[in-house]
Amino acid sequence: IKYGLLRRQLSIRVQKSERKFKDVFNKSPLPIVQLIGEDFTIELVNNAATDLYKLPIKDLIGKKINAFNTGSDEGKTITKDGGRYTHASGDGSVITVDIEISQIESDSNQMEYIALIIDRTKELEFEKRKFDIISQAEESEKKKIARELHDGLGQQMVLLNLLFQN
């Protein structure tokens, strides 16, 4: 009886732990996917990942993470080290993501990984706009200095030269 009660208590604790893990995984504001095998096939996806890729869970599960690569990353394969990649989302838009991959313990003979996907698209667009504004300001300042040299100091130098020649 004691063994049965102990087993029941442990079973309840395991169930609570699994529910807690699922809540942490599914309610995370950051996109997280579980990958299996060396080809990084998606096995489990949280809600934030479906929002990022604008695809339902059933369209993500079973797909290789490399299938989302686009542009210059199209032939590039994602490695265990992760990195920055350009991906296509379900609505056709292009997103830039940083992928951080960690290997996890597995009961099966296949390798399993957890991948954290960080959307850098807006951050990179902001940096580009900031660079464009700075470039425009620099160009404007160069034109202003050139105009002052040409219209102000340059004319006075020509006038002085003419006066000395006379």
Side-chain angles (χ1 to χ4, degrees), residues 2 5 8 16 21 23 27 50 56-57 77 80 96 100 116 119 124 134 138-139 148 153 165:
K2 286 182 181 181
L5 290 173
R8 174 77 176 140
K16 284 182 181 178
F21 165 75
D23 282 347
K27 293 180 180 178
T50 61
I57 291 175
T77 56
K80 294 176 187 176
T96 303
E100 296 179 18
L116 176 65
D119 185 8
L124 292 173
I134 290 171
E138 286 176 347
E139 196 63 35
E148 285 179 11
L153 186 62
Q165 286 178 2

Side-chain angles (χ1 to χ4, degrees), residues 30-84:
L30 295 173
I32 302 173
V33 295
Q34 181 183 4
L35 307 170
I36 55 170
E38 293 300 320
D39 58 352
F40 297 123
T41 303
I42 298 172
E43 184 176 88
L44 192 61
V45 179
N46 72 352
N47 296 333
T50 61
D51 293 343
L52 176 65
Y53 285 102
K54 296 176 180 68
L55 288 169
I57 291 175
K58 64 180 177 65
D59 290 347
L60 288 170
I61 293 179
K63 201 169 189 178
K64 294 176 179 40
I65 193 78
N66 289 316
F68 294 101
N69 287 354
T70 184
S72 60
D73 293 335
E74 201 157 2
K76 190 175 171 183
T77 56
I78 296 171
T79 64
K80 294 176 187 176
D81 300 328
R84 182 163 288 173

Side-chain angles (χ1 to χ4, degrees), residues 1 11 25 37 55 82 126 145 162:
I1 292 175
S11 174
F25 183 82
L55 288 169
F126 173 76
I145 292 170
L162 290 172

